[in-house]
Structures are given as structure tokens and as C-alpha cells.
């Protein structure tokens, strides 16, 4: 039997012959359209389902789950012009967003505490006059534990969301109970990357360098090509990839919301088609992709697979070339930095 | 109906279909020449007018309203020489100034409490041997709530006033009752910028970054060009601009006071021509400019206009480039810091 | 009579009684719709007009004059989706853009050389897969002399243009012949700020700090409120402001281009309404605003007015508070930096 | 019709309605075991096939095609020990490698010239006492045009190959005739990334930043997971990915070469299983994957697809955050740098 | 008698007629096979032996003493392939490694403190997914004082260990009691170079340039030729060389561990044959080489011999040619730098 | 059979099963005391011996073989004073030195041509008023082929010899006939390092980086410790080391020359004790050390041993860390540069 050792802020590697696992879920669901309280209720219901049915210790919710993803909207914007009703649509959307801290955050803290599930939740965050596409991390014991703001919104998102910066790229260390060996614990590191941020190689490199093992990828990208990227990232980073996508239909939006085809409105038309998935560090799909509706996927993650994978590929360790490529995070400097 | 939420130190965004407003006034008036008690009486009288006639919840008074603006004086100074009578003139001016705290401040607190009007008042502040061009904030409930000292006096002002520093740049949060929805409240943030400080882009940037929504601009600048700058600031900062200017005539000064043309003294000659104004975050003039005498201007401010404006311009949020421009407030360090 | 002094890279202050002037034009015109060669011909024609009619030594052309401003277009983008025809529209738009260097730049160099007019021209620049809203500076003697890329595109522009950075913020020094004193020359500094960049206080501060005297503001913002901002900037920066706006009608765009009201297409409908203007450092409007069509405005700029204005306001000099506000340009670090 | 423009070292974007294409092949083949002249003959034969059958203008050969990939060898190495026969195996392997320049390079130049095919060929390069896994670029007109040395060998490769450095990361510009519009040409940029280098996010980022459009990926990785990574890179980099893998059987190696199972030697046993593929910038598989033997895959590449893809994702352009992530290539300094 | 002088961070040169000595040991021993606690116990036992029997003040342990040197293992790797059981072997090996800091480091600190012996110990260090062959320096008073990671692993080691960089090349200053003159102290500088790093002339040059006097060389190289290199280095660097090698037999490894000849397993077969040695700056062997088993060698080091040697050879001082050879350490730049 | 290839300036690696060898000698002999012609005669005699007896193709003569090594002399120098007879002694020594070119060089060229032996000869070179300790390379076909001047004279040598610089560090490429395969040739690289220059790690590194395979080490260091250094260099550089030392007795010097013990002069007293040796790249002694008199040692050098050795150690190739250590030769700049 091997010696057990623990260290400050490093994963605990446990006993020979014993798996070091945690059970993790990705939640595929739509925002309860623009209603914060309904959406928080839905978050609680789905968290309880993940916990009670699957034994989840960690649950990842999609991008913009709280606050909503206004798919197909234009906010009255064309090049060079903004219509007044677009401003009102923005005010409405901004009011559906949450602040940090706020009662909404307190409610999520309570859900996490009650269920003992660590939550990773996509939200729309309001900070003064700017909205951000943010992920919040909520710990059952410590409550709110950090946030990540999307660095580069995609296409039309750029007119409704601001850009995050280097101050909100946390990689959190979390100790979970080890379901494979009752009475022992496992320590792991997790982070979040939102939607097309997953195409940013420097952002991924930064997270890998900080030791992320549970790579959460909340998204609304439901294209089939997304699966290639998720598998690639698992292989490249030698980490577990947990991608949670929204599955939404027209009925999940207000009746007057933009849709793909205004002449063929149908409450059952799919707006965002899902594709949530869990993949291991060697590229094996452990659960999903879930394609046909809302749902919760759960998998048991053997954290030793990270080491098995890094044996021959550790892109910020033995496979890095710091001599050839200088790479460094820059903290922002400015009155708006936080 | 949208969910209502409140948060620590952040504006409350209220209910759909309901405006989130406050009623605010700018007071255009002259100092009662070098008489502190007369000027305090005048402050009380005008505050009551704003309250009773217009329902004001907030009132802004001009630069140097208390203590006076010694327009046309030279204080006996030429390059390389000061005449003794100039020193005596300075002593007289210094005695007309107030200290913080002092009975004068207590009187203003009492006026604010009695009328339930939040006051933003330009004063000449005496601190040992130096005078400052200061604005004091006085809250009906908490009394004296902070002060801002002008950072850079202009031209000849530099021989009678000292410079403020980074310790007196408050942006205050204030909760008002919402006149558009009795029983509810609105929270907002306000700050003050004096006269040509309004031409300092870094000072404005700092205030914007702190979330100021009610941008108070006490002044004695009565040039027509002032209006361009006030409108620009409203647009640039997506904030309400409340500019209060003195309107003074020769009769408002002591008989021996310097005037524009000593050979054509006339009690009705205009010394400072006013131009007080209230402008919305999208650049619309809500009241004023008032050009022909003393008076009180009042407007209802729909605070949601701040968000409407920030939709496409938030110069310290989604429209900032902290990567390109490092910008930071420096708190003063020294025995004189406060 | 004062001594004449010259200095490295500093304006020459010339002889008493002699004005130090240059003649400068702003050109208000539309892109010849998506045709590079037509637009270059138009640039040549208008430059010759400015030269021959008005004696211009410097001419400023509007934002996106070369490459075009696709007003009212949506590029097939809604939140969360891009239609294939939008990609093709982008390819078409990208092909209308120019590279630096390129034959188009060479043509502009030739026009500048032939007319002896220093040109400041808004262009759409293509660099690999990203377009930038850029201004190029072209000198009659040296040819291409630098460029500025817009730092923050506004609203829908964010989906078609990338962001500039700290490497393209030139303030150029240029020596012109002095039309007021034949045989003498005047040296001045000039820079460019595009459209809503003019609302960025830190960008303006940077330019002021580098000594800009001829502040060029190519734009497509034709709102009346623009005039307030232009006047404010002249006053704040104590510089000449030369704002060149497009004036375009539906006939200036391809027949299938988006318009404000697709049901009321009319070749004469105004798309961008102009408003070009030239303002002095003390806020005096020297020419314009031009509101009713294309045209060229010219004014004689007395460069000594810059000093006259800085006498009492120099916001990055005697009116700055570097002790209170730290402010610094950050050069980019990256493979894409240039 | 759009104006045609060319520029120094930039892609030419051609005429409206005309496709800008080139025809490119990936060659899937085994080294003619350790025989340099046989392998060069094979290179010539396959190049002629690509040219004559498919009209190829560019052909990519697999990793180590010249020099060979000694799969399953151990070179007599265990941790802490090297056996003498391993040294002899290394000498034999080193002698099968080529130098640059050398007659072997001259032969490749001749093949390229004779066929008018631009060649990208994986070779084992010998430089003094160290071998490198290298790709050489050979132009029909200019001959040898550059090389790339693998930066990080994988696992056991580390005992037979050295590491490349920042001096051998070329992105070459090449002008081809445009088969879609006879008489016109297209300019493009290409680079090479070998095997698991494709998992190095900083290397890829560097290539993207230099504008690579034809991303060549010679490899010997024949795992199915490779396809995910190839598709991801096409999407991430908005470039054409041309992956050429060896397909080798035991008969392609000397009779005494190591094999997977020494007890079941069979000349037809697969050693490296192929999987060569060509993918478009939007992730569409244009040819392959080829799985069942040697062969040549060819596709017509519409270079405008690069722009179509960069419309919404340009990870070193409008989708970069140079403010947040500092990233720079470091040129080596040392006597061995070249 | 000479004046005694002390200097910041410089050796104290003491009194005439008095030697400036320290007593130093090299420990020749095997890892207690893959058991961290057993190995730590052995470290304590051997440290106490060095202290109590020989009066050691400094003790050097072999390369990989903690964590083990998996001699003869292949980790299931051949060129182009990794077998799954190799990954598991790596996980087992990784678990036997230690982190810094960790309880294992704390235990070594305690041993150092209890015995008052400065320890230089070869360890296998785990940092996220990469292992390093590291030497830790542990001070009786300050505890953990630094580490050196091997820069270039040799041959098969390259598949299990990463590369160190310029951030872990410490040369430590340490003050010891002077056993030759009770009540006085001597100050010296020490560093560590692992196994074939000793063949890296630039690494040695760097250490010489930093003033190393006690050159520790933990190793597992037991070839007779090693003695030549150790003597050469003492002469070249004018330093004391303390080489500590493992002496291990098959019985020191787990029963299933790879051996030289699997058909002739014998618990007494030698795996690593020792050869630990202590050599003076003028090339005199002070103790060893120890060839026939585990053991502790101790010598009294007269630190003045360093100066005696540098009289006629100081390769980074009077014998350097900085005009001819530029040489500089490069600190790494990257998120993984520490 | 392997393909044979040649390349510009690179070693030819020849045919399988055929050794690639050359026969090389080191000559151990004393200068014929201060007689140039006698010494040149001796050089011819010993060269013919090497050729005729041993088949030598290359012969290395000791340091200062021509011109002499004035062992035990002081040249009348003490600190702060020089005696006149020392000056005379220097004149005598300088006259025994040779210039390049000169009749002496022509004589050596003739010997080389006549015998077809490549010569590496230690000489004292006179260049105006300075003497250098130099090695000349003389080719049978091309004649004088280059020289190396000692970079750092040792101790008392510093008062009679100047310092060489970066302009005289040649690594020469030479093609020899291959005695193991008549009719074929082998190409190799050779350089020279004099006496304690062999302790200069940066000089050795430079030579290794240039590909030296025949490392010639003319010397007068006859200490036993020299053997350790020669073996180390062979191992470190993976090159053949050919060390040629003088063997001299008192009778080889003028009668009045300084000796170790002036009271015990004896013509047979040994002045320099020899120790010439030839060592292979893996550290095997191929010939010598020769300790008891003058003589010629010859060995057959299998040049493939260089590759065998570099398989696991190439200190300027796969075992270098150019990222960590910047290292570069500086060519001299100045009127004296050559």
C-alpha cells in the first residue's frame, strides 16, 4: 500500500487499489423565461434530482441559465443605428440579470448548502451599466466562491455583454468525499470556460497551467461540431470536460420573443438543441451527448485518469516549451478592475 | 412582472411598467455678499422653495455659494509682488469661509433635516491657513455625509485656494422615495465636480467608474460654451448632469468690491450670468438653461435612462480598454492626508 | 520682435505680428458604393477640389470612406446564430477592404504627392481574417506615415470589426508651409479619433498628452448632439477639431443593401446626414456644420490659438493631477502586435 | 465586380463570382524501409500520381516519411541503462537520416520542379550528433524553402530525436495558379505541425497569428481520436487542415525490426493505420479519413472559406485578448541556433 | 595575525593558523522500494549515523533517493506506442513521488532540525501532472531552503520526468560552526547538479559564476568513468565535489520490478553499484569511492582550499574571457514558472 | 547497404558494415632548445616516423614545440619590478618564435606535403611586439589552413604571451582517405585547445557546437590529474581527444636555463614529464599515456563512435538548454581584429 500524503492546495492522491472518484452532473435545461424566481426554483429542482437520483456532488448548469440567452434577438440594432425599442428590450434584459452579491446569489448558496452539491452556474451578471456572461461557483460550505466572466462575446452578443478580464479566471480547489472509499476525501481543481471561449487556445493554456482537472464548459452551442472540440480539449488538457448546454424551445421564451421563423411559431420548436456531454481525460465519452430534451447526465470521474493521461502529454508541464513561447496572464489595471 | 432585487450598495431596479424616478433641483443664486448668516438664510429659503413648489428631494447649489466667489478681485498680486491691502482682502475672505465641522455645517444639516432635501452645496472651506473650494453633501437623515475639494483651481483662483486630493472624491449611495410608485424606493449614486474640473477627463473617468448617476456640477462658469460641455458629459458618462451656476450682480458684492469696469459701476450689472441646467443621460435638456436671474429648476429623473444609455456606451464598462490604458486613483499618503 | 526658436519635434513659434497658419479641409462625402477604384477616384477628385478651390494643405476624409460603412446591415446575425448569407456578405465586405501596404495605399500616396495635400483617410483595413476601422495618414513627401485603428467598435460594428490596440495611436509631427508668411514653415502635431472613440476620455487624454494640435475626427455619427461633443473636445483639449462625416443616400449603396425602411426605398433617402465641422481651440466654429449634402469645408487654422487656449487650461499639463490619477499607455504584447 | 488587389506577402483576394482555389493532396504511405533511394523514388512516384490523377499543386507527406519511424523499437534503452546494440541501432537509424542541404534534398527539389508540385515532406534530419523530426518545404521554383523541427518529441521519441526551437517555425507565403480561373493566381500561407505538436496550444496560436491558411499536419498518430483533434483545429484556426499519416505494415520494415508481437510476425500486420484527412475551415471533411491502405487524397480548397470562417472567429484577431494574455515567440540564442 | 573580516554573503576568512573547515558526508544508499515512510525512516537513520559517528554538518543523499529510480523499467513504452499497464506503472510511480511543500518535506525538516545536519536530498517531485528529478535543500534552522530540478533527463528518463528550468538553480549561502576553531563560524556556498547534468558545461559554468564551493552531485551513475568527471569538475571549478550515488540490489525494488536479466533474478544482484566520493578543489580524493555496498563517507573540508585553487584557475574570474564568450542565464517566462 | 550521401561541410557517413576510420598520431617530444632549424628538422623526422611506421594521416605536436616552453624561467620579474637581464631573456625568446607567414611556416607546409600528413603544431608566434602561444594547422594539399591562439595564458605565462581572441577559434573540415575502405573517403572536423584552455567550459562548448570530432590538446601539463580531464572531455564532448605533451629534460634547454633545483643540475632531470594520450568518445583510452620519454602514439579512430556517443549525450544538441543558458561567440571588433 502506498503512503497517503496531502499538501497545501494540491490534489490528494490516495491509497493503492482504491479509486479516487467523484460523481458529477451536467444539467441540460432552459431558463424559465425571464423569470428569476422560476429559474431559481428550477435550479433547485434539478439540483435535487442530480443529488437524489444520481448521487451528484457537483453540478454544472448551462451558459446564461439565470438571466437567459435571448437567442434570435437583435435588440433593434443594425450597423450604425439603434432603435428605441431595442433600448427598452435591453433594460428588460438587464433587469432579468443578477448582481453579485444579491438575494439571487443567496438563494443559490442555500440550494447548494441544502443539497450538499457544488454548483457551477451560468448567469447574466449586471455591474453598473454593463452586463456580463458569467459563471458563478457556489460551495455547499463556503457559499459563493468565485466567478468567471466570458472574455470575448461572440457576434451579436458583443452588443449586449461586456468583456471579462484577467481578474476573473479562477481555478478553484475543492475537497469532496470519495464515494469509492467512504471516509476518505479527494481534492480536485475546477474552472469554467463559456461557449466559444473554448476556442481560445491561450485561455485554455492558462487554465491547464493552473492545474484544472474538472473543466466545466457551460454553453449554448448545440452544433454537432461542438463534440469534436469537447473531445479535443479533454485530450489536450488531460482533464474531465463537463459541457452543459441549454435545451430550449419557443415555449421557454416570452411570447413576443424573436424566433428563427416568425411565420412558423410553434411552442415546441427547438431554439437550442442541447448536446451536453461528459468526457474523460483520455477522450472517452462517459455520458451523453444528450440531444432530445432537458435532462441530467451524471458520471463517476476517476481522478487518477488525469495522471494516466499526463504520463505522455502535459502541455503546460513536460510537453511545454516555455523557452520558445513566452506566455503570461496580465492582471488588469484600472478603476473597473475587481 | 419582473422580480425585484436589492443588493449591497447597488441601485435597486424596480418593477416593470413603473418608472424609477426622483425629483431634483438646481439652484441658481448669488451669495449674500460676505455674510454667512444671510447666505445660510438664503440657502434655507431656496431649499424650502424647491421642496414646496417642485417636490424636490435633492438640491444642488452653486460653487462657492457659501463664502462667495470674489470675481474681478486681484488680491493685490502681480508677478513678483503682493501689496499689503491684498493681504487684508484675503483675511476678510478667509473669515467669510467655513470650517468642517462648524456651526454653519450644523445649520445646513438642520435645513436638510427640516425639509427632507438632500443638499449639495458649494462652500469655501477654511482648514488652518488654507482655503478650499469645496462641495459638501448633507443628508436629511445622517447629516454631513462627505465633501469634495476642487482638485485644480483655475488661473487667479490658484492664489486664494489650495488643491484637493484623492481623499475627497466621494461617490455617495443614497436611497430616495420613488415619487412614481409611492411606497417604493430607488437607490442612486451621486458625486460633484466643480467648474473647470469638468474639463478633467481623468476625474470624470474616475467618477464614471464608481457608478455615478447624478453628476452634480456646481460652477461659476456662465459662458455659453458651458452648455456644450454639460451635454457632452451627460452623453459621455450616461448620467444626469445637474449644473448649478451663480447668478450675481454688482449689488450682491460689497460696494468696494472689484468689478469689470470700475468707471461704470451699476448695482444691476451682471457679474455671473447663470446658465444652470439639467440634462438626461441621452443628452436631452430637461430644464434650463436659466439665463436671466436667480431661480430654481427642477426635473423628474427616470433612473432607467442610465441603463438605456449604457446599452451602447459605458465608457468604464463595455466601452473601456483597460488593456490599453492603465488608470488608477492614488490615495494621498502623508500627514496631511485625510 | 521675438526671437524665432526651433526645437526637435516641437512647434516653431514664429515672428511677432506674423500668424502661424495652415489651411485645412474636412471632406463630407459618401463611399462610392463598394467600388474601390471609384472611391479612390472620388478621393482624388475631392482632394483636388480642396486644393484648387481652397488652397488646402491637409484634408480629412470620413470614417470608412474607403471600404464603406454598411449602415443598416445586420450581416445575418441574431443572438446565437449566423446565417450563411451573412458570411457571404462579410466576404464581400472584406474584399472591399484594403490591406496596408497595397496598391490602394500606393494610389493614395500618389494623390497626396500630386496635390501636395496631407491626407487623413478613414478606411476599412483587412489583416488576415479580421477587419479594422482604420485611419491612414499619408504624407505628400514620405507617403504612408502611420495608421490608427478604432479601439472600440460600437454596437453592431463589433461583429464586423476587430479592436485596435495601443500600438496604433500615432501622434504625427508635420511641417507645413505657412501661407500667412511665405517662405516660412510651421510645425504641428496631429492625430485621429474615430466616431464614438471621441467619447473615450482616456483615449483623448492620451492624445492630449502627446501634444496633438490638429485633432481629426472622422465619423459617421450625424446626430445633432455630435456638435456638442466636438465643441467640448476643442475646449477640453485646446486643439483644432476637424470632424469629417459621411453624407450618404440610398443611391450610394448597392441596390440590395439594407435600408432604414425597406418598404420605402428611395435613392434620395438620406442614410448618413453629415455634420462635418471645424472648431478652434477656444470653441469657435470656423466652418460648418455642413448638413445638406456632400462638400468640402476649409478653414485657416492659427496654430498660436493652441497656446492661447492652454494659457488657462492644459489638462495634461498645469491642469493635470498626476499625483491623484495614475495614467499610462500599455503597449500590446503578442504575436499580433505591430 | 470587385476590384482586384495584391499586396506584399498578403493573400490576393480575387474577383467576385470567381472561386479562389488550389488543389491539394495528402499522401498516405510508408517509408521504403530504411532505404533512402527507394523512399525518394516512392516520393517521386506518389507526387506524380497526385499531379497526374488529381491535378495536385501541393502535396503533404507523413511524418518521418524519409528516414522512417522506428515504431516499436526501444533502442536498447531502459531507465538507467543503454545496451551497445541500441547504440548501433541508433547509428543505423542516423545513417538513414538526411542532412540539409544534401543530395537527398536536391533530389526532392528536382521532383518538385519536374512535377510543379509544392512538397511538404516529413524527414528525419541529422545535424551533427543529433537527429530531428523535421518537415521540409520544397518549392517547384525556388527549391528548398524552409524547415520545421518538431518542438517536443513524444515519449520514447525523446531518446532518439532532439527538440526544435523558435528558429524553425516558418509560415511560408506561396502563390499558386488558380485552377478555378485560368490565368489568375492565388496567394496563400502554409505551415507544418508534426504529430502531437498538434496538441500544443501555444504553437498553434503562433501559427494562427502568422496567418497560416493551409495547416499541414504530418503524423504517425493513427488513433481514431486524431480525427476530433483535426476537426477542432480546423474550426479553431479557421484554416484548412491537411493531415498526412503513414500507413505501414510489418513488411515495410527490415525483417529484424521490432513489432507489436514478436511471436506473431506477419508481413501484413498493420504497424501504422493511416487516417489521413483534409478538413475545411468550417470543420467539413473534404476528403478521407483514409483508413485501409496507402493512397493519395485530394481536395479543392476554396481559400475564401478562411474569411467566411474568420467572420465570427479569429482567435488571434478579433477574438484575441492580448490585454489578458501576453504571448510572444522567443528566438533562441546560442551557438546551435540557426 | 590577519584581521578577521566578514562580508555580506561572502565567506568569512578567518584567523591565521586556524583552519576554516566543515565536516561533510555523502550517503550511499538505496531507496526503500517505493515506500515513502520507510525511505524517510532510512534517511533519518543514515543522517543520525553521519552525525553521531562522523560529526557531519552536511549530508548529501543520492539522486531519486525519495521516490526511487526505476532502473530497467520501460513503462510500457516503445517508439510510437504506450501500453495501458505502462500508464498504471506511471501512476504508481507518481504516487510514490512527493510534492513541495508536503508532509514528507516537513518530516525531512524535522530530521534536519533534530540532528542539526544540513540535508541535500534527491527526490522525485510531483507538480500537477509532471514529475521532476529534484534535489531539495533543507536547513536545520530555516527548514526547506530551495530546490533544483534536473534540466535534462537522460534517455529513458525523458518519458517519466519533465525538464527543470532557469528558476530552480539555487546557490545557497550557509553558515556552519567551524569544528577547527570552536566558537567561530564559516560561511560557504553550495549547489547541486544531478547525474549527467554534470556533463553540461554551461550549467557548471553558471554554478561556478555564482561562487559555489560545495558542489553536490547526487547521481545514479555508477560507471567507473564517473570518477574522472568528478575529479575534473573539482579541478575545473576549484570546488569540493560531493558525489552521492545509490547502491541498490534487486531486493531493494518490488518483486515485480524490471531487472537486467529477468531469467536470473537474485535479490543480491546489484542494480546500481555506488561509487560515492568526496574530492578537494585541487583534485585530491578525500574519501571513497565507495564501491561495495551502502555506507556513509565523511571528510573534513578545508574551505581555504577553494582560494588556494583559484590562485591559478578561476574559470569565471581571471580565467574567463567574457569578451569572447557571451553567457547569461535566462529566467523562464510562463504561467508554470516559479 | 545504406545510401551514401555527402553534404556541404558535413561529415560523410559511409557504407554499412564498413568502418569509417582515420589513423592519427600524437607526438611527445621536446623543442630542440631555442634552435628553430633543429626543431623543424625534428618535426620532419617525427612526422616521417608517424607516417612510415604507423600510417598516420594526422599528427599533433605539443604546445610551444616550435619556440619552446621556458619552464622555470622568471624573466627577471617580481611584483613591481623587472630586471634588465629579464628583458634580454625575453628578446632571446622572441627571436626563437616564428611569424605567420614566414619561411618556417613554408617549411612545415613542405613537410606536410611531402609526407601527406595533416599537421597540428604548437608554436610560439610573434606578431609585432607580442608573442602568442599558438597552434597552426597545415594541410598537405592546401598548406597553412588556420591557427588558434591560446585565449588565457596561465600564471607566469601572462608576462610573456598575449591573449588570443574570438577570431582564432577555427574548427576545420578535412577529408581523409579511409584506410578501412580503400577508395572511399571520410570527412571530419578538428580543432585545437591548448593546455589549461582545456579547463575553460565555454571554449569547449563552442568547439562542441561547431561539431569538432578530433579534439587536439597540445599541452605542457604533465600532472597525473591531466588524464582525468582528458577522459572527461572525451565523454563530455563525445569526441576523440588527442593530447600531445612535451617530454623534456634539462639537456633540452640551454645550459644557463632556469631549472627546478639549480644546485642539482643534471642533463637527464625531467623538466616536462609527458603523458600524451588518445581517448575515444566513450572514454576508452586508445593509446598512452606515454610517460617515460619521447615517442609517437598512433590509434585508428572509428568516426562512427562519435554518433554512438551522441546517441545519449550531445551537449550542444539534444542535451543543450538554449532556453536556459544564452551562449554566443563574440567576434572581436577593432583595428587589431583579424
Amino acid at each position: 500500500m502506498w503512503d497517503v500524503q496531502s499538501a497545501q492546495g494540491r490534489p490528494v492522491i490516495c491509497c493503492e487499489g482504491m479509486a479516487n472518484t467523484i460523481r458529477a452532473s451536467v444539467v441540460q435545461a432552459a431558463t424559465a423565461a425571464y423569470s428569476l424566481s422560476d429559474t431559481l426554483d428550477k435550479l433547485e429542482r434539478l439540483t435535487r434530482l442530480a443529488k437524489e437520483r444520481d448521487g451528484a456532488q457537483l453540478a454544472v448548469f448551462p451558459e446564461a441559465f439565470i438571466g437567459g440567452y435571448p437567442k434570435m434577438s437583435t435588440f433593434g440594432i443594425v450597423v450604425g443605428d439603434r432603435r428605441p425599442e431595442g433600448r427598452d428590450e435591453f433594460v428588460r434584459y438587464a433587469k432579468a440579470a443578477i448582481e453579485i452579491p444579491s438575494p439571487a446569489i443567496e438563494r443559490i448558496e442555500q440550494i447548494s448548502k441544502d443539497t450538499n452539491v457544488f454548483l457551477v452556474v451560468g448567469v447574466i451578471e449586471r455591474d453598473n451599466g454593463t452586463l456580463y456572461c458569467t459563471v458563478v461557483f457556489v460551495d455547499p460550505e463556503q457559499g459563493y466562491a468565485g466567478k468567471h466572466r466570458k472574455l470575448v462575446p461572440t457576434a451579436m452578443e458583443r452588443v449586449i455583454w461586456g468583456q471579462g478580464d484577467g481578474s476573473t479566471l479562477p481555478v478553484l480547489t475543492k475537497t469532496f468525499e470519495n464515494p469509492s472509499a467512504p471516509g476518505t476525501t479527494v481534492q480536485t481543481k475546477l474552472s469554467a470556460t463559456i461557449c466559444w471561449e473554448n476556442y481560445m487556445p491561450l485561455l485554455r493554456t492558462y487554465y491547464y497551467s493552473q492545474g484544472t482537472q474538472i473543466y466545466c464548459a457551460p454553453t449554448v452551442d448545440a452544433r454537432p461540431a461542438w463534440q469534436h472540440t469537447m473531445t479535443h480539449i479533454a485530450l489536450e488538457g488531460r482533464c474531465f470536460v463537463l459541457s452543459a448546454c441549454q435545451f430550449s424551445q419557443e415555449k421557454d421564451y416570452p411570447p413576443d420573443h424573436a424566433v428563427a421563423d416568425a411565420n412558423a411559431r410553434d411552442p415546441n420548436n427547438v431554439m437550442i438543441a442541447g448536446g451536453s456531454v461528459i468526457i474523460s481525460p483520455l477522450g472517452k465519452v462517459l455520458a451523453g451527448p444528450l440531444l432530445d430534451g432537458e435532462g441530467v447526465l451524471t458520471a463517476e470521474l476517476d481522478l487518477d485518469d488525469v495522471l494516466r493521461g499526463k504520463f505522455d502529454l502535459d502541455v503546460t508541464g513536460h510537453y511545454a516549451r516555455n523557452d520558445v513561447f513566452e506566455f503570461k496572464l496580465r492582471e488588469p489595471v484600472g478603476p473597473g478592475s475587481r
Side-chain angles (χ1 to χ4, degrees), chain A residues 4 40 85 129 240:
Chain A
V4 180
L40 289 168
E85 46 284 24
F240 290 93

Side-chain angles (χ1 to χ4, degrees), chain A residues 47 54 68 71 105 162 166 169 188 234 311:
Chain A
T47 302
D54 298 342
K71 187 152 181 173
I105 293 294
L169 302 174
T188 189
F311 173 44

Side-chain angles (χ1 to χ4, degrees), chain A residues 5-321:
Chain A
Q5 48 192 312
S6 69
Q8 296 168 314
R10 302 293 175 79
V12 173
I13 292 177
C14 191
C15 315
E16 190 187 21
M18 282 162 50
N20 294 295
T21 65
I22 68 163
R23 294 188 69 82
S25 299
V26 292
V27 177
Q28 181 162 302
T31 309
Y34 283 49
S35 164
L36 176 57
S37 58
D38 287 0
T39 304
L40 289 168
D41 289 348
K42 190 169 187 179
L43 186 144
E44 178 166 359
R45 194 165 63 245
L46 290 165
T47 302
R48 290 191 182 282
L49 174 63
K51 178 69 176 188
E52 288 160 15
R53 188 192 71 186
D54 298 342
Q57 300 166 279
L58 165 71
V60 182
F61 283 77
E63 181 183 11
F65 179 70
I66 291 174
Y69 188 78
K71 187 152 181 173
M72 302 299 167
S73 290
T74 64
F75 286 83
I77 291 186
V78 295
V79 174
D81 202 17
R82 271 82 62 207
R83 274 172 295 173
E85 46 284 24
R87 291 190 195 274
D88 287 341
E89 186 179 358
F90 180 72
V91 170
R92 185 171 69 161
Y93 186 53
K95 287 182 176 178
I98 64 172
E99 295 184 325
I100 299 171
S102 67
I105 293 294
E106 288 165 19
R107 173 80 190 279
I108 301 172
E109 290 175 324
Q110 191 64 45
I111 295 167
S112 174
K113 185 179 176 188
D114 291 349
T115 57
N116 196 28
V117 174
F118 189 102
L119 294 173
V120 179
V121 183
V123 308
I124 302 304
E125 177 197 2
R126 187 179 61 243
D127 184 0
N128 281 319
T130 295
L131 304 183
Y132 297 94
C133 180
T134 296
V135 163
V136 294
F137 301 89
V138 180
D139 186 284
E141 287 158 17
Q142 306 162 45
Y144 172 77
K147 71 177 170 188
H148 164 59
R149 287 173 169 176
K150 196 180 196 172
L151 287 173
V152 184
T154 301
M156 197 69 175
E157 296 167 5
R158 292 178 188 177
V159 306
I160 50 171
W161 299 339
Q163 298 186 331
D165 61 33
S167 66
T168 52
L169 302 174
V171 178
L172 302 171
T173 299
K174 170 65 186 167
T175 301
F176 290 99
E177 298 188 5
N178 179 0
S180 299
T184 70
T185 58
V186 292
Q187 222 180 24
T188 189
K189 291 190 173 188
L190 50 83
S191 61
T193 318
I194 305 170
C195 205
W196 277 24
E197 279 190 322
N198 287 283
Y199 285 116
M200 296 176 74
L202 299 185
L203 173 59
R204 296 199 312 268
T205 301
Y206 174 72
Y207 280 141
Y208 301 154
S209 77
Q210 300 304 301
T212 197
Q213 297 179 326
I214 312 277
Y215 180 106
C216 304
T219 190
V220 295
D221 185 341
R223 294 169 307 140
W226 187 251
Q227 302 300 319
H228 294 298
T229 288
M230 291 299 100
T231 299
H232 169 78
I233 292 172
L235 288 165
E236 178 185 78
R238 297 315 205 194
C239 49
F240 290 93
V241 170
L242 280 65
S243 181
C245 189
Q246 290 210 27
F247 181 92
S248 66
Q249 295 165 292
E250 292 189 5
K251 64 186 173 195
D252 295 312
Y253 287 82
D256 61 344
H257 197 278
V259 296
D261 182 351
N263 297 321
R265 286 186 182 268
D266 181 327
N268 293 323
N269 280 343
V270 171
M271 295 281 279
I272 305 175
S276 301
V277 70
I278 302 177
I279 306 175
S280 86
L282 288 168
K284 184 179 173 193
V285 174
L286 302 179
L290 179 59
L291 295 170
D292 49 1
E294 293 192 343
V296 174
L297 296 175
T298 304
E300 182 142 359
L301 315 183
D302 181 348
L303 293 174
D304 287 349
D305 283 349
V306 171
L307 261 184
R308 286 188 186 94
K310 294 210 169 176
F311 173 44
D312 51 7
L313 184 69
D314 183 0
V315 294
T316 58
H318 66 80
Y319 224 99
R321 287 300 301 273

